[in-house]
Amino acid sequence: MKTYPISIPMHRLWAARKNIAELSRIAPLVETYINAMVERSDDTCVVIHSRTVAKAIGEDSALVHEMIMQIDGGHNGLTVQKTTYHKM
């Protein structure tokens, strides 16, 4: 289970993919969307599905799924443990 706030470890994706510009463009969208969903939730555990993220940000479902897998996601998405988090 990943803790909030999440970030995508890009070095893992860069090793497997050629289109770094596309990854660099989409990764912040995925991170921002997931972190916003977690922040808005009243639950301490938040389940987020890959397809929901892809549809919401208007990006390729397979690529979004691949990114979510890199942040300890499973085959359908990821579960995020919301912890006490203070922005600096």
Side-chain angles (χ1 to χ4, degrees):
M1 186 179 319
K2 198 67 177 166
T3 57
Y4 170 78
I6 64 100
S7 62
I8 298 171
M10 293 298 291
H11 63 280
R12 292 182 190 169
L13 287 169
W14 287 337
R17 290 216 159 242
K18 295 179 182 173
N19 195 341
I20 295 171
E22 182 181 30
L23 294 173
S24 297
R25 179 184 63 78
I26 297 172
L29 299 174
V30 173
E31 291 172 352
T32 300
Y33 183 81
I34 291 172
N35 285 326
M37 284 186 68
V38 173
E39 190 170 320
R40 284 191 303 258
S41 176
D42 292 332
D43 298 329
T44 55
C45 246
V46 182
V47 176
I48 300 166
H49 295 102
S50 300
R51 287 183 184 257
T52 303
V53 177
K55 185 176 179 182
I57 65 172
E59 294 295 343
D60 178 61
S61 178
L63 183 56
V64 170
H65 176 70
E66 185 178 347
M67 289 184 174
I68 288 176
M69 289 290 288
Q70 298 305 315
I71 49 177
D72 297 333
H75 293 287
N76 292 318
L78 84 147
T79 302
V80 179
Q81 176 68 44
K82 191 173 183 179
T83 59
T84 304
Y85 172 68
H86 300 284
K87 292 184 180 178
M88 299 293 246

